[in-house]
Amino acid sequence: MAAQLALCRETGAAGRRWLALLPLLLLARPAGALLEGLYCGTRDCYEVLGVSRTASKAEIARAYRQLARRYHPDRYRPEPGDEGAGRTPQSAEEAFLLVATAYETLKDEDTRKDYDYLLDHPEEYYSHYYHYYRRRLAPKVDVRVVILVSVCAISVFQFFSWWNSYNKAISYLATVPKYRIQATEIAKQQGLLKKAKEKGRNKKSKEEIRDEEENIIKNIIKSKIDIKGGYQKPQIRDLLLFQIILAPFHLCSYIVWYCRWVYNFNIKGKEYGEEERLYIIRKSMKMSKSQFDSLEDHQKETFLKRELWIKENYEVYKQEQEEELKKKLANDPRWKRYRRWMKNEGPGRLTFVDD
């Protein structure tokens, strides 16, 4: 009776241990089944090539060349010693692919390390799958090269796009009477128009003379007018590539400028200069540097006279501008028509049509 009780206790303890291990046993899967499709599948790559795990690269390459010549589908001839995988051309092709896979696995040092780790730790199949597909799906080209080429391509596109916008602005200014008359007077004073009309050896047609005069006027406008904003003349330093290269310099410059600003105006309490006042006004108006620089000089002088760098003065100026805009819109006939349409027929209004 005592022996039976002891046996029951041991059986119960063993059952509890098996119940505790049951989830792990359910989650665990044979490594060989999951390794199907990785590297050489269920075959050992070293055995496929007929080399040991300590074989050198030269030995692996020599074994691959011998087996590749033997099992190449175009050159394969069955030999008396061939068994199983190499008896037919179709099976020879499969053997050739298996040999090539084994060589691709063992010729690369990193891939060979991963494969050796798989042989030593077959139970870590999730890790093996990760390393295998990470190397297979990794880009063959260095990411840094891709980024550099992309940045260069964007910079080239920027440059030609800005030149196109700049030429459009010059062509437009050449049609504005104010600038065209001034450019024509300068061309006459310099005698450029007379040179364009000189025939010389080859007679020029009227269209050629007209085109040459147009180019002269455009060149004078380019040299005399400083276009700012989105249509300004493109500069190499504004391209994305050079902005990235100069980013550390700009960052250091900004840090130095900010420290000087805090020291001079927040700590020492100095008065703002004209440049600092215009900077504060620009920030209050939420305008970029190029937008603010494109404003007329008399507008900037007005800002300085009204002391808009002071917050209270700027709030008053902003309210005045809003009131002036409302008056302009109230007197604008197009705005009146739009408000009338919104009131009578605008979206969200329910109407009934009587037949």
Side-chain angles (χ1 to χ4, degrees):
M1 188 68 178
Q4 292 178 353
L5 290 173
L7 180 62
C8 290
R9 291 195 191 96
E10 292 178 2
T11 305
R16 286 193 295 271
R17 285 196 296 270
W18 278 107
L19 287 174
L21 293 173
L22 183 59
L24 297 177
L25 294 173
L26 292 175
L27 290 174
R29 298 178 62 182
L34 277 176
L35 294 179
E36 188 71 40
L38 299 186
Y39 305 109
C40 299
T42 56
R43 298 285 302 276
D44 189 333
C45 292
Y46 291 102
E47 293 180 357
V48 171
L49 296 179
V51 296
S52 64
R53 289 186 60 175
T54 59
S56 63
K57 283 187 176 181
E59 293 174 348
I60 292 173
R62 192 182 307 115
Y64 165 71
R65 285 193 295 268
Q66 292 176 356
L67 293 172
R69 284 195 298 267
R70 181 178 179 183
Y71 292 111
H72 196 281
D74 297 335
R75 302 174 57 183
Y76 175 70
R77 296 293 182 273
E79 297 180 3
D82 288 348
E83 294 181 0
R87 277 204 171 273
T88 64
Q90 184 177 2
S91 58
E93 183 178 356
E94 295 175 358
F96 177 79
L97 293 176
L98 182 61
V99 169
T101 302
Y103 177 66
E104 291 293 329
T105 301
L106 300 180
K107 74 174 184 177
D108 183 69
E109 292 184 1
D110 296 332
T111 309
R112 185 175 179 180
K113 287 180 181 178
D114 291 342
Y115 186 70
D116 290 341
Y117 188 80
L118 180 146
L119 296 177
D120 296 333
H121 305 84
E123 71 281 355
E124 300 180 12
Y125 42 84
Y126 292 120
S127 175
H128 303 321
Y129 271 99
Y130 167 74
H131 289 293
Y132 176 77
Y133 285 107
R134 186 195 65 170
R135 295 196 183 279
R136 290 200 63 181
L137 301 177
K140 302 301 180 182
V141 183
D142 193 347
V143 178
R144 293 170 294 184
V145 176
V146 175
I147 294 174
L148 179 60
V149 172
S150 302
V151 170
C152 291
I154 294 172
S155 300
V156 171
F157 176 77
Q158 278 183 327
F159 185 75
F160 285 104
S161 177
W162 288 348
W163 262 112
N164 186 35
S165 300
Y166 177 70
N167 290 329
K168 285 183 179 180
I170 295 297
S171 300
Y172 170 74
L173 293 175
T175 61
V176 178
K178 173 184 175 181
Y179 302 111
R180 188 175 185 85
I181 292 172
Q182 292 179 2
T184 304
E185 291 296 328
I186 294 173
K188 288 180 180 178
Q189 292 174 5
Q190 296 178 358
L192 299 176
L193 296 180
K194 292 181 180 180
K195 292 180 181 180
K197 293 180 180 180
E198 290 178 357
K199 295 182 179 180
R201 294 181 181 179
N202 300 324
K203 292 184 178 180
K204 297 180 181 179
S205 63
K206 292 183 178 180
E207 292 181 358
E208 292 176 346
I209 294 173
R210 192 182 305 111
D211 293 339
E212 192 169 345
E213 290 178 351
E214 191 70 20
N215 291 330
I216 291 171
I217 292 173
K218 288 181 180 179
N219 290 331
I220 292 174
I221 292 175
K222 286 180 182 180
S223 61
K224 297 297 181 181
I225 296 180
D226 183 19
I227 302 177
K228 297 179 181 179
Y231 293 91
Q232 64 183 0
K233 187 175 182 179
Q235 301 292 333
I236 296 295
R237 63 175 181 271
D238 295 331
L239 298 178
L240 177 62
L241 177 62
F242 289 90
Q243 287 293 315
I244 294 175
I245 294 173
L246 297 175
F249 171 75
H250 291 316
L251 179 61
C252 294
S253 301
Y254 175 77
I255 293 173
V256 172
W257 172 86
Y258 184 77
C259 293
R260 287 181 178 177
W261 182 283
V262 173
Y263 176 74
N264 290 329
F265 304 114
N266 294 354
I267 297 176
K268 296 184 69 176
K270 286 186 177 181
E271 292 186 1
Y272 296 125
E274 182 177 335
E275 184 178 352
E276 289 78 14
R277 293 171 180 175
L278 291 175
Y279 172 78
I280 296 174
I281 294 171
R282 178 170 69 84
K283 288 298 182 181
S284 300
M285 293 182 173
K286 297 180 181 179
M287 298 175 66
S288 65
K289 191 175 186 304
S290 58
Q291 291 175 332
F292 193 78
D293 292 340
S294 62
L295 297 176
E296 299 292 339
D297 292 336
H298 66 86
Q299 290 179 296
K300 297 178 183 178
E301 292 176 359
T302 303
F303 298 158
L304 293 174
K305 288 180 180 178
R306 299 196 58 172
E307 299 182 349
L308 297 186
W309 67 87
I310 302 174
K311 187 176 180 180
E312 292 77 11
N313 296 343
Y314 176 74
E315 293 296 333
V316 174
Y317 172 80
K318 183 180 179 181
Q319 189 173 0
E320 291 177 359
Q321 293 296 314
E322 292 176 354
E323 293 294 332
E324 185 177 351
L325 179 62
K326 289 180 181 180
K327 290 180 181 179
K328 287 183 180 179
L329 292 175
N331 297 326
D332 188 358
R334 291 178 299 179
W335 177 247
K336 288 181 179 179
R337 288 196 298 270
Y338 175 74
R339 286 190 302 174
R340 194 180 305 117
W341 177 82
M342 289 293 293
K343 181 179 179 181
N344 298 328
E345 303 175 6
R349 181 174 177 80
L350 296 175
T351 57
F352 296 89
V353 180
D354 296 331
D355 295 333

